[in-house]
Amino acid sequence: MKTVVIIGAGPAGITAARELSENAEEYNVIILEESNEIGGISRTVKYNDNRMDIGGHRFFSKDERVMQWWRDIMPVQGAPSFDDKKLGREKQLSPGGPDPEKDDDVFLVRDRVSRIYFLNKFFDYPISLKPQTFINMGFARTMKSGFTYLGAIMHKREEKSLEDLYINHFGKELYSMFFEGYTEKLWGRHPSKIDPSWGKQRVKGISISEVVKNALGSISGKNKSNETSLIESFNYPKYGPGQLWEKACEDAVKNGATLIKGARVFGFEKNENNISTVKYIENGVEKSLDADIVLSSMPIKDLVASMQFDVPDNIRRIAAGLPYRDFVTIGLLVDKLNLKNETDMKTLNNIVPDCWIYVQDTGVKLGRIQIFNNWSPYLVKDAINTVWIGLEYFCTENDSFWNMNDDEAADFAISELIKMGVISNKGNVLDFHRERVKKAYPAYFDTYEEMPALVDYLNGFDNLFCIGRNGQHRYNNMDHSMATAFEAVEAIKAGSTDKSAIWNVNTEQEYHEKKS
């Protein structure tokens, strides 16, 4: 029997553990998780009977393996949810599926609504050519946007940076309005300093030319452009994403896997081309495991720093220089929002229907607002009389915002909402909770461009498989992280040391949330 050590109990680690533990006679699976939570940044935090989704997670994938895997764990609702029933909303239900009013292990079917909030107005995401868009922008901005886009068509930039990529797709004015400030909030760097590879999947087919084609197609009654449209709905666990990952982890443990929480990995030893030993601290005690196979979803920066053997200086330098963006989310329970629901979508208490609201305003630090009532009414203790929102801030560990205490951070967030007109005053806030997440976003600058040399070095260890977002230093969605685990498991079962399929996940230049 081979001992498989899996570092990290996020989507990649749990997926690999559940898959390998199905062959319990061949693999002794041990999961080391530094925190006491399951799900990584896909976990769900419970506070005073309200639940927070750290980052917002839509359960949708173009990878059918992933969709089937999720639904094997959690079936799709077969009866209306609380809010659908109360509002008379119709959803595509799964015949024979569970009733979310009676059963907990159930996927809800939710509408995909995400908009941009700019100039104290809502804009579609992606940008549309509806009359309201021009009204919101005003005549001068609309004309300037058109002329700068035409200029971008005639004079394409060499795409050396994310700024070049965005201006080529949208023109300088729209780039300035909708991308420049938000991107700098997210990464803490101006787009001109960021590698364009991060943005390529996110703008594929969302250029102004495609918007025009879609608008003309709608007017003429003909099909829209060849680009597929964004997904209109997605699945979501009744009690948030952490519910699914906790259940998947339970499956692995039932199959014989061992889960060790509070286990911080700090050291590795090798034997020729293999990682032979994994060292960790549990309850202040140093321990070690002899490993036949290691799957690592820990940050590559920490992985290389923990190697207690000779590593080439250049490799240590590249790993040490990999940048990350950290993340703070502040949950606020409020009695009401000042934002008006001017859509035709029915919601509880007629709140705006958005799951996410992107905040483009550079006058505030706030990056996104989640409205948990719209993700699932079961995340909120009283979804009729209160609104539970998550305010997302991008920062750097130990900067001034990160180091605020809970009260200071909440006061800061409340003041920004008042400034934006989202709430009227501090009296609207009934409760709050803060969560801080280290290394939430692997960033694409500094030594990132030297990643190929680092990947080659790590691939030189026959029994080491790097999986997941931080394990590959790549901006993976949940399904991509899972796919890296699937590929690693296939290689392990085949006895292969070829890691190329694992590293090729999420390299296609196609927008993640397009439907075919």
Side-chain angles (χ1 to χ4, degrees):
M1 181 182 292
K2 293 181 178 179
T3 296
V4 181
V5 178
I6 298 175
I7 303 169
I14 293 302
T15 299
R18 187 173 181 267
E19 291 292 295
L20 287 170
S21 66
E22 291 179 350
N23 297 92
E25 68 285 352
E26 294 184 47
Y27 303 108
N28 172 32
V29 177
I30 302 171
I31 312 161
L32 302 178
E33 168 54 41
E34 182 176 4
S35 73
N36 288 305
E37 306 291 334
I38 301 299
I41 61 170
S42 299
R43 69 184 183 275
T44 302
V45 175
K46 186 176 180 180
Y47 175 76
N48 285 350
D49 294 326
N50 294 301
R51 290 174 168 84
M52 296 173 63
D53 180 346
I54 304 298
H57 294 85
R58 299 187 182 109
F59 285 73
F60 165 82
S61 178
K62 290 174 287 188
D63 188 334
E64 191 53 41
R65 294 176 304 173
V66 170
M67 294 297 292
Q68 189 59 53
W69 198 90
W70 281 334
R71 290 171 180 172
D72 285 345
I73 294 172
M74 196 167 283
V76 177
Q77 67 182 86
S81 61
F82 170 74
D83 51 352
D84 290 336
K85 186 183 296 185
K86 192 167 186 66
L87 296 165
R89 297 188 309 205
E90 293 187 2
K91 292 286 176 62
Q92 186 173 351
L93 304 176
S94 177
D99 181 348
E101 286 288 85
K102 299 175 182 178
D103 301 304
D104 287 341
D105 293 336
V106 54
F107 264 135
L108 306 182
V109 178
R110 310 306 289 176
D111 292 326
R112 182 200 188 280
V113 185
S114 295
R115 291 183 293 174
I116 296 168
Y117 192 64
F118 183 62
L119 305 172
N120 292 328
K121 299 178 178 69
F122 281 106
F123 291 81
D124 287 343
Y125 180 81
I127 300 164
S128 70
L129 289 184
K130 294 177 182 176
Q132 191 62 45
T133 302
F134 301 126
I135 293 170
N136 288 353
M137 287 173 61
F139 179 77
R141 280 194 183 91
T142 299
M143 295 302 293
K144 192 173 182 181
S145 297
F147 284 123
T148 59
Y149 175 67
L150 290 174
I153 289 177
M154 291 185 288
H155 304 287
K156 287 288 185 186
R157 293 176 169 224
E158 182 183 354
E159 292 182 358
K160 295 181 178 180
S161 71
L162 195 55
E163 179 175 67
D164 297 327
L165 176 77
Y166 282 145
I167 290 176
N168 281 345
H169 274 75
F170 301 100
K172 195 162 186 178
E173 181 67 11
L174 287 175
Y175 157 73
S176 172
M177 289 173 62
F178 294 111
F179 299 94
E180 185 176 20
Y182 182 81
T183 302
E184 192 162 8
K185 279 187 195 182
L186 172 56
W187 295 115
R189 300 280 181 100
H190 191 267
S192 62
K193 306 296 183 185
I194 299 175
D195 189 280
S197 56
W198 177 77
K200 286 180 179 176
Q201 292 165 322
R202 287 161 174 75
V203 300
K204 178 73 173 177
I206 310 181
S207 63
I208 296 303
S209 60
E210 293 302 329
V211 173
V212 171
K213 288 177 186 177
N214 287 343
L216 292 175
S218 298
I219 293 170
S220 67
K222 295 180 180 179
N223 291 333
K224 294 184 179 182
S225 69
N226 290 331
E227 291 292 340
T228 50
S229 58
L230 287 173
I231 62 167
E232 296 170 355
S233 65
F234 59 92
N235 292 148
Y236 192 78
K238 177 178 177 178
Y239 291 124
Q243 180 189 9
L244 180 131
W245 295 113
E246 289 162 11
K247 196 167 186 299
C249 189
E250 288 173 8
D251 289 347
V253 171
K254 286 177 184 176
N255 288 338
T258 300
L259 170 66
I260 305 175
K261 295 181 180 179
R264 181 177 66 82
V265 172
F266 72 91
F268 298 92
E269 294 178 357
K270 73 168 185 172
N271 180 11
E272 296 182 348
N273 293 333
N274 287 293
I275 299 295
S276 58
T277 305
V278 179
K279 298 180 180 181
Y280 64 99
I281 295 175
E282 181 188 9
N283 297 323
V285 179
E286 292 189 7
K287 300 182 179 181
S288 64
L289 287 168
D290 292 333
D292 296 302
I293 298 165
V294 177
L295 290 94
S296 173
S297 67
M298 69 189 290
I300 288 182
K301 187 175 201 167
D302 299 336
L303 171 68
V304 174
S306 300
M307 290 179 171
Q308 299 174 326
F309 44 80
D310 289 337
V311 175
D313 291 343
N314 191 47
I315 296 300
R316 285 204 185 273
R317 178 189 61 80
I318 296 169
L322 289 175
Y324 300 83
R325 196 67 167 147
D326 305 296
F327 177 80
V328 173
T329 185
I330 300 169
L332 293 183
L333 186 69
V334 300
D335 56 3
K336 62 180 179 179
L337 299 175
N338 283 346
L339 302 175
K340 291 183 179 180
N341 181 14
E342 296 177 342
T343 74
D344 57 3
M345 302 183 74
K346 297 178 182 178
T347 60
L348 293 176
N349 214 15
N350 203 33
I351 62 174
V352 289
D354 306 74
C355 300
W356 267 319
I357 298 172
Y358 293 85
V359 180
Q360 247 66 16
D361 185 354
T362 55
V364 294
K365 183 177 176 62
L366 178 62
R368 289 189 308 201
I369 302 172
Q370 284 196 77
I371 303 178
F372 296 119
N373 302 53
N374 295 331
W375 286 97
S376 166
Y378 304 102
L379 297 180
V380 190
K381 181 180 180 181
D382 182 358
I384 294 180
N385 299 304
T386 63
V387 188
W388 179 228
I389 59 177
L391 309 182
E392 300 183 352
Y393 288 91
F394 314 110
C395 58
T396 301
E397 184 182 355
N398 290 322
D399 68 11
S400 59
F401 185 78
W402 179 274
N403 287 333
M404 286 181 181
N405 64 38
D406 287 352
D407 289 335
E408 290 170 339
D411 286 343
F412 182 91
I414 291 166
S415 69
E416 291 207 324
L417 287 192
I418 295 170
K419 180 179 180 180
M420 293 168 58
V422 176
I423 61 174
S424 299
N425 54 63
K426 192 172 181 179
N428 291 126
V429 180
L430 308 174
D431 202 357
F432 71 87
H433 179 69
R434 177 178 67 157
E435 287 286 326
R436 295 185 288 188
V437 182
K438 298 178 183 179
K439 295 183 174 66
Y441 300 99
Y444 288 38
F445 37 84
D446 294 345
T447 59
Y448 171 78
E449 64 181 16
E450 300 179 76
M451 272 290 292
L454 188 52
V455 171
D456 286 345
Y457 177 76
L458 294 173
N459 284 348
F461 295 99
D462 291 343
N463 69 336
L464 175 63
F465 299 83
C466 294
I467 59 175
R469 175 182 284 207
N470 278 333
Q472 295 196 328
H473 200 86
R474 187 174 289 161
Y475 196 90
N476 285 332
N477 288 343
M478 270 193 310
D479 59 334
H480 296 123
S481 292
M482 293 173 65
T484 64
F486 288 141
E487 297 294 346
V489 168
E490 285 187 19
I492 289 166
K493 289 182 176 179
S496 173
T497 59
D498 181 2
K499 320 289 176 59
S500 57
I502 306 169
W503 288 100
N504 283 337
V505 170
N506 191 19
T507 57
E508 75 281 1
Q509 299 306 326
E510 185 176 352
Y511 189 70
H512 293 159
E513 292 192 45
K514 290 281 187 180
K515 65 177 182 179
S516 53

